[in-house]
Amino acid sequence: MPKDAFVIEKNQFSSWLKKLQESFQLIGPVEKEGHFVFSLIEEVNDLVMDYDTTMLGPRKFIFLPEEKICTIYQKDQGFTIKKVQDVPGQLLIGVHSCDLHAILVLDKVFLLKSFQDHNYRLRRENTLIMALNCTKVCPTCFCSSMGTGPFVELDKGFDFLLTDCGESYLIESFSEKAKDLLLPLNLPQADDSLFKKKEQLFQELKGRFIKNLDTTNLVQTLLENQDHPVWQRTAEERCLGCTNCTMVCPTCFCFNVKDKISFDLKECDRVRYWDSCQELHFAEVHGANYRSSRKARLRQFVTHKLATWVEQFGCFGCIGCGRCMYWCPTHIDLTEMAKEVQKSNFKRMREDGYA
Amino acid sequence: MVMPDTLAFKTARIVDIFQETAEIRSYFLSLEEEEDFQFTPGQFNMLGLPGVEEAAISFSSLAQPGNNFFMHTIACVGNVTSLIERMEIDGKLLIRGPFGYGWPTEEIVGKDILLVAGGVGLAPLRPFLLYCLEKRNQINNLYLVYGARTPEEMVFQKDLMDWQKKEEISTIYCVDKLPEYSSLLPNVGLVTHFLEDLQIDLSRALVCMCGPEIMMRFVARKLLLQGYSEKDLYLAMERRMRCGTGHCGHCQIGAKFVCQDGPIFQYPDIKPFADTML
């Protein structure tokens, strides 16, 4: 049993959040037009903590859909650069395990390779994460297959962890900042029975998953089958090239850069915005487009998330949230494509003389 | 350890401009704030100007210890490069770099080195060639096979003539079409036609190529048929890049980020992935 585990009544939780609102921007799940979205919380009562999944993951508050990288001032004698310096402190509330893993994946992309992304680091350092153990299984989600949920089994990279225990939350702290924020509340320590209940909830939930993906040898199988007919067929029959999958994916990190110049031409905002490998011009250079077919772009999405990501960052790029297939206009399902490749491994069949 | 920031901009001043071909120019640049600027052959800079973002351009000169000069050879075909084309001496560029892994400079000792370039692809190879000439006593044979559409489209004409005369390097220049007069006296044909009959011992071969991907495809295949080993082939890949630091995702080829894992790749590292012409 962790030392820093307490019980907080839901009423007290709400009033505590109202207090935190004085020092943080609160971000959490709210209902919007029949779906849930992560949004800036003005009224704490708007929070919907028993949501199933949100349209976009919380990445949009750390790696913004569009953000200024820097301002370049042009003078006679050269350039002056002003980087983005001030970002608000924010608290992400109710982040499910899959989305928490997605943020940790983005950390690997932007912070843990050879260069640290300036803007991402700034926002990440000013973000506290209050994770929430998920209680709902969606028809499209498969976090249990990807090892990213439904309960948070990590011990760092976030600040709080909530488990819904009916009238109250079990709240555990995983960072110094979190401890300091909980201290003034004088909460009662959580006892063994709560942890037993948590474990029980976890076991119950694990058995309810509808969608599964067997990840054994998945990387190798996909890489050996880059010419598998499933890519061509799915792309031709169903992919509209709309880029929805990459927009809603909580681990997609690609961006494009655009300069916005002031009318007097002296000031230039360098802005970046989410880009998508599903977009026709994504891999275009002078005289060539290396992914000009939808087949190539669809294969790039699936094999990146489920195969090449592992070599790049040591983890899958898919955290099993199911958003890509839910928001796809034709509900293209990457697990189905992966399964088809697993079922008819053409490389192997060719080697055995069958295809 | 403090990791380098993605926004380490530097200002570079255009010191001199050479017209190489109708649409290719070499820009001799020096850094404004830094006295010493070191980079390895094959690395690149992100060259930018406010208003047109940035483009990835390889160094076409060899770094000299203790100074801050460098050269980029640019085909003026895109947003950034077309704007650079209109700049004059003393104009200022905003650069970030150097980025990426370059040519295998550590591998050259005792080798028979074959450099194959096509068109403006000679630019990223030039610093490596100069490096090989500097270390000429450490290597065995040194070849350059360079192809372009016409002699007028060959870059570094002065260098080409120098190298043609040098004993240290054997050169084969070739063009698709030969005009009546050309001082370089190139052969007619594709680079792939001139890869046989070279004095290269396959057990100590090192091949570095840069050019259109379709050229590298056939050069690599031809050499493999001739018995070269895959690991001895190095290629320079070109992809769209928006950041140079492995974040924007544009330059990915399978699991490789061309900006950080490349732009120079050993053939077996890049061959398994889709969406290349190799």
Side-chain angles (χ1 to χ4, degrees):
Chain A
M1 189 174 71
K3 223 169 50 216
D4 305 299
F6 306 94
V7 187
I8 186 166
E9 298 289 325
K10 286 189 174 172
N11 283 338
Q12 196 188 354
F13 179 71
S14 292
S15 48
W16 179 49
L17 288 188
K18 277 176 199 157
K19 192 114 187 77
L20 290 180
Q21 220 166 0
E22 291 163 13
S23 28
F24 296 100
Q25 287 193 350
L26 302 190
I27 315 285
V30 298
E31 200 180 334
K32 186 183 174 188
E33 294 167 14
H35 291 287
F36 299 105
V37 295
F38 274 98
S39 158
L40 181 65
I41 302 293
E42 274 162 23
E43 198 54 59
V44 170
N45 293 335
D46 291 346
L47 275 175
V48 187
M49 294 295 271
D50 61 346
Y51 73 104
D52 48 7
T53 179
T54 56
M55 190 167 159
L56 296 181
R59 87 164 159 153
K60 65 174 174 173
F61 291 98
I62 302 175
F63 170 44
L64 307 195
E66 181 172 325
E67 65 184 317
K68 185 163 85 178
I69 308 174
C70 61
T71 307
I72 304 165
Y73 300 93
Q74 190 156 19
K75 295 198 188 112
D76 329 322
Q77 290 311 312
F79 311 98
T80 319
I81 312 286
K82 207 173 131 216
K83 298 179 194 178
V84 176
Q85 291 302 355
D86 300 312
V87 300
Q90 57 185 2
L91 172 62
L92 304 180
I93 303 163
V95 177
H96 282 169
S97 185
C98 56
D99 284 337
L100 172 61
H101 277 85
I103 294 173
L104 301 185
V105 169
L106 288 180
D107 287 353
K108 288 186 181 163
V109 176
F110 285 117
L111 303 178
L112 301 175
K113 294 272 261 191
S114 18
F115 285 85
Q116 283 199 334
D117 184 81
H118 177 82
N119 280 27
Y120 186 90
R121 182 177 53 78
L122 207 58
R123 284 186 209 282
R124 187 66 172 95
E125 282 172 356
N126 283 288
T127 302
L128 291 183
I129 299 175
M130 188 183 287
L132 169 68
N133 279 325
C134 187
T135 53
K136 303 225 166 134
V137 169
C138 307
T140 52
C141 74
F142 52 103
C143 59
S144 61
S145 303
M146 304 310 293
T148 57
F151 273 33
V152 177
E153 294 172 278
L154 302 161
D155 56 8
K156 58 174 189 285
F158 62 110
D159 303 278
F160 303 95
L161 175 60
L162 298 173
T163 309
D164 193 334
C165 300
E167 295 301 304
S168 56
Y169 287 114
L170 164 64
I171 185 165
E172 299 164 67
S173 64
F174 288 87
S175 72
E176 289 304 316
K177 279 183 195 165
K179 272 178 210 164
D180 293 345
L181 288 172
L182 280 178
L183 201 63
L185 295 179
N186 262 326
L187 294 171
Q189 288 265 341
D191 57 19
D192 261 338
S193 67
L194 267 183
F195 279 93
K196 274 186 192 140
K197 177 152 192 202
K198 179 181 165 184
E199 182 58 26
Q200 195 188 338
L201 286 171
F202 181 41
Q203 294 304 335
E204 270 174 31
L205 196 62
K206 269 209 304 199
R208 300 219 314 260
F209 276 84
I210 305 160
K211 194 171 274 299
N212 293 294
L213 179 65
D214 181 6
T215 55
T216 325
N217 285 335
L218 183 59
V219 174
Q220 201 194 344
T221 309
L222 287 175
L223 287 182
E224 282 176 357
N225 285 278
Q226 297 183 71
D227 54 349
H228 194 284
V230 70
W231 315 123
Q232 175 79 31
R233 207 188 57 242
T234 316
E236 256 176 25
E237 292 175 359
R238 291 168 69 191
C239 181
L240 309 177
C242 72
T243 76
N244 267 13
C245 47
T246 50
M247 292 293 109
V248 296
C249 178
T251 63
C252 269
F253 57 82
C254 290
F255 61 81
N256 205 351
V257 179
K258 186 84 206 147
D259 278 359
K260 295 185 176 173
I261 319 176
S262 66
F263 282 114
D264 62 6
L265 305 179
K266 284 179 182 152
E267 228 180 286
C268 169
D269 281 345
R270 188 153 285 174
V271 174
R272 73 165 171 208
Y273 56 93
W274 291 355
D275 203 353
S276 168
C277 58
Q278 301 305 295
E279 205 262 330
L280 172 61
H281 304 287
F282 186 82
E284 201 170 36
V285 296
H286 175 68
N289 185 344
Y290 293 101
R291 281 192 283 275
S292 58
S293 69
R294 266 179 301 170
K295 164 192 151 193
R297 298 197 292 274
L298 183 66
R299 178 191 49 212
Q300 166 65 15
F301 176 68
V302 180
T303 54
H304 191 208
K305 296 291 169 188
L306 294 176
T308 50
W309 206 292
V310 177
E311 185 185 325
Q312 291 175 328
F313 303 108
C315 60
F316 282 110
C318 174
I319 45 86
C321 68
R323 286 185 178 98
C324 55
M325 56 196 85
Y326 184 85
W327 293 99
C328 174
T330 63
H331 300 295
I332 297 176
D333 181 337
L334 86 164
T335 65
E336 291 302 322
M337 284 185 274
K339 281 176 200 166
E340 194 168 331
V341 174
Q342 284 171 328
K343 231 180 343 186
S344 53
N345 187 334
F346 272 69
K347 167 92 190 302
R348 290 285 155 78
M349 286 163 79
R350 254 199 307 271
E351 278 165 10
D352 298 343
Y354 291 113
Chain B
M1 189 186 85
V2 181
M3 274 202 261
D5 194 324
T6 44
L7 296 179
F9 287 100
K10 296 165 185 164
T11 306
R13 185 172 65 87
I14 299 177
V15 180
D16 209 348
I17 303 172
F18 313 96
Q19 188 84 35
E20 300 282 358
T21 73
E23 60 175 23
I24 299 169
R25 284 164 196 219
S26 287
Y27 292 80
F28 202 47
L29 299 147
S30 83
L31 278 194
E32 290 287 88
E33 298 96 354
E34 284 171 46
E35 295 291 310
D36 190 11
F37 184 53
Q38 295 304 311
F39 49 90
T40 61
Q43 283 193 306
F44 67 93
N45 267 331
M46 295 299 291
L47 255 55
L49 283 165
V52 290
E53 303 101 36
E54 294 173 320
I57 311 281
S58 292
F59 291 99
S60 56
S61 65
L62 191 58
Q64 298 300 329
N67 83 28
N68 60 1
F69 290 102
F70 56 100
M71 188 166 89
H72 286 294
T73 300
I74 303 172
C76 303
V77 290
N79 285 344
V80 182
T81 49
S82 306
L83 192 58
I84 293 176
E85 187 184 18
R86 301 217 295 268
M87 295 180 72
E88 290 165 3
I89 289 173
D90 279 339
K92 305 268 166 64
L93 291 171
L94 206 49
I95 71 161
R96 291 184 302 124
F99 294 127
Y101 279 105
W103 298 107
T105 46
E106 311 285 310
E107 303 284 323
I108 62 167
V109 179
K111 293 286 169 70
D112 284 339
I113 298 177
L114 168 59
L115 308 175
V116 186
V120 73
L122 184 58
L125 261 177
R126 182 176 177 266
F128 185 58
L129 193 155
L130 297 176
Y131 181 84
C132 289
L133 287 176
E134 252 180 32
K135 311 270 171 185
R136 187 63 185 87
N137 53 353
Q138 295 179 18
I139 57 186
N140 203 33
N141 286 325
L142 180 59
Y143 283 97
L144 169 67
V145 179
Y146 177 46
R149 273 175 293 200
T150 62
E152 293 79 55
E153 285 173 79
M154 293 186 141
V155 292
F156 311 122
Q157 301 252 352
K158 196 176 152 292
D159 287 338
L160 292 177
M161 277 190 274
D162 278 357
W163 297 334
Q164 207 169 33
K165 286 177 207 142
K166 267 192 187 343
E167 273 180 19
E168 290 89 342
I169 179 165
S170 316
T171 58
I172 300 171
Y173 304 144
C174 57
V175 292
D176 296 352
K177 262 192 228 144
L178 192 63
E180 280 176 24
Y181 173 76
S182 165
S183 53
L184 286 168
L185 297 173
N187 302 291
V188 176
L190 299 170
V191 284
T192 42
H193 296 157
F194 302 97
L195 300 173
E196 288 161 17
D197 310 323
L198 306 176
Q199 283 173 14
I200 288 183
D201 181 341
L202 295 185
S203 64
R204 54 175 189 222
L206 178 67
V207 184
C208 295
M209 58 184 101
C210 181
E213 221 161 286
I214 195 78
M215 178 206 93
M216 296 197 286
R217 171 194 177 95
F218 288 107
V219 170
R221 283 167 191 230
K222 174 109 191 191
L223 293 177
L224 292 176
L225 283 175
Q226 282 174 225
Y228 285 76
S229 137
E230 287 196 348
K231 64 170 181 33
D232 295 332
L233 308 186
Y234 289 81
L235 326 90
M237 302 301 285
E238 183 204 13
R239 283 296 181 274
R240 186 176 180 77
M241 291 178 197
R242 307 306 280 153
C243 70
T245 52
H247 298 133
C248 82
H250 280 261
C251 69
Q252 289 175 92
I253 301 175
K256 305 294 179 191
F257 285 90
V258 174
C259 63
Q260 286 295 300
D261 304 321
I264 313 304
F265 288 98
Q266 215 168 351
Y267 186 75
D269 289 344
I270 199 73
K271 180 71 184 71
F273 298 113
D275 308 324
T276 71
M277 290 179 198
L278 305 176

